[in-house]
Amino acid sequence: MSDKPTVLLTNAIHPDGEAILAPHATLILAPDTKPDTLRAMARDVDGIIVRALLPDDICDHAPKLKGMVRHGVGLDFIPVEAATRHGVMVANLPGCNTQAVTEYFFAALLRLRRPLGHIEAVMRRDGWNTARPMADATREVAGDTLGVIGVGAVGSRIARIAREGFGMTVIGVNKGPFPDGVSEVSLDELFSRSDAIAVTCALTDETRGLVNRRLIGRMKPDAVLINTSRGPVVETQALVDALRAGAIAGAAVDVYDSQPVPADSPLFGVPRLLMTPHVAAITSTSMRAMTMGAVDEMLRILRGERPRNLVNPTAVAA
């Protein structure tokens, strides 16, 4: 019987990181991410690398658990308070996917403003003379005002590229300090002034439902909204109603109230809505970086060391 500690992977990790971790721990991959499955799989593990939502009572079912490491940044997948009560360390990886999410934002923004894929499809199907006039209705982002909700790592990177790369004016709301070049405004002013809105804040009790019907109603008719945060930050039905009524020009969402999105979801029939399956943070580059960071933190925990980014320090003394 192996005397190595056991680490549960809620989902597969990059093979480079797996190769580093495997000599030091027995790795078990969950066959699915259903709550009962994760509870059962966690019974004898020393650590969990988290890429899926854990049940709130996971620590009650894992008496040997020493630590959980988020394969990413957002902590809404991990019951941090319960982990702290059980003396279980929790770590995440700030900045590990900032570039990936930033690039996704601009890909989505340009897709909404200049839908080249659609123009190409029309050209192939209907010819040059039908497709070419479609460009007349598109618009550049230079000179537009970008509103950023949550000017943290991702929001700050988006803001800098928007200003320096595209010549946009950037305004924002944030709990912490503001980077140079971003003007602090109220939420009401952000929604009424912005030509594009980036939702990049963390999901907390304060931000749940933050982007509500009243604020969406303040948006310009030619404005767009892009949510790379978490689904519950935006009031889904209010956004759907605005798109169906033509009250705003478009939206892109990568995150949802319930994931995966059911195949019969009415969202698939909403006009001017770009939908992606929670992939903003995922590229081959970021996946390797997240895995390597998660493995490094997990090895520290298994050695009895403090992780570099321990998010619940009181767990150490619990």
Side-chain angles (χ1 to χ4, degrees):
M1 184 174 181
S2 173
D3 59 354
K4 293 193 297 185
T6 301
V7 174
L8 171 64
L9 312 176
T10 65
N11 304 78
I13 61 176
H14 194 282
D16 288 356
E18 186 172 330
I20 292 172
L21 184 57
H24 305 282
T26 299
L27 306 183
I28 55 174
L29 176 63
D32 59 65
T33 57
K34 296 175 182 176
D36 284 343
T37 300
L38 295 177
R39 292 185 185 104
M41 299 291 288
R43 187 173 297 119
D44 297 312
V45 305
D46 300 274
I48 305 176
I49 292 181
V50 182
R51 289 190 59 203
L53 179 66
L54 297 177
D56 289 340
D57 61 351
I58 190 71
C59 294
D60 295 333
H61 297 266
K64 294 175 56 182
L65 189 62
K66 298 179 177 66
M68 296 182 280
V69 179
R70 178 71 171 96
H71 189 279
V73 181
L75 291 168
D76 52 305
F77 281 6
I78 299 176
V80 177
E81 290 185 9
T84 303
R85 290 196 303 271
H86 283 79
V88 175
M89 291 184 283
V90 176
N92 70 342
L93 308 171
C96 63
N97 51 31
T98 297
Q99 186 63 29
V101 179
T102 299
E103 290 186 10
Y104 173 96
F105 171 81
F106 286 105
L109 177 60
L110 294 174
R111 166 64 176 78
L112 292 170
R113 287 299 189 209
R114 301 186 72 181
L116 302 184
H118 180 51
I119 292 174
E120 183 205 18
V122 171
M123 178 179 168
R124 288 178 179 274
R125 186 186 66 234
D126 301 325
W128 177 285
N129 291 334
T130 301
R132 195 164 191 269
M134 295 174 65
D136 295 346
T138 65
R139 63 182 268 191
E140 299 168 22
V141 300
D144 276 0
T145 295
L146 172 65
V148 181
I149 301 174
V151 197
V154 173
S156 295
R157 181 77 61 86
I158 288 173
R160 181 173 60 81
I161 293 173
R163 289 190 303 107
E164 298 177 4
F166 289 96
M168 302 178 79
T169 298
V170 184
I171 58 179
V173 293
N174 197 47
K175 287 186 66 174
F178 279 75
D180 291 342
V182 180
S183 300
E184 182 177 7
V185 297
S186 67
L187 267 174
D188 279 13
E189 185 176 352
L190 185 145
F191 274 82
S192 62
R193 283 182 55 190
S194 297
D195 300 292
I197 296 173
V199 185
T200 56
C201 58
L203 176 62
T204 65
D205 290 340
E206 293 177 349
T207 62
R208 187 177 297 273
L210 178 70
V211 181
N212 56 27
R213 186 174 300 274
R214 185 185 68 81
L215 288 173
I216 293 172
R218 295 182 66 87
M219 290 176 64
K220 299 177 181 180
D222 56 356
V224 298
L225 182 144
I226 299 169
N227 184 12
T228 59
S229 168
R230 288 293 185 265
V233 172
V234 177
E235 189 179 313
T236 301
Q237 192 58 52
L239 181 63
V240 166
D241 291 345
L243 289 166
R244 284 179 172 159
I248 62 175
V253 292
D254 186 53
V255 285
Y256 306 87
D257 297 329
S258 176
Q259 296 183 184
V261 180
D264 61 351
S265 169
L267 285 171
F268 290 109
V270 175
R272 297 177 300 281
L273 176 62
L274 171 64
M275 298 173 62
T276 52
H278 203 160
V279 297
I282 299 177
T283 65
S284 60
T285 309
S286 69
M287 283 298 293
R288 185 180 187 280
M290 286 187 281
T291 287
M292 300 302 277
V295 164
D296 181 68
E297 291 287 59
M298 182 55 67
L299 286 172
R300 289 174 182 278
I301 290 170
L302 296 179
R303 291 194 299 260
E305 300 172 6
R306 184 188 183 100
R308 294 181 188 275
N309 197 67
L310 179 66
V311 301
N312 60 340
T314 56
V316 176

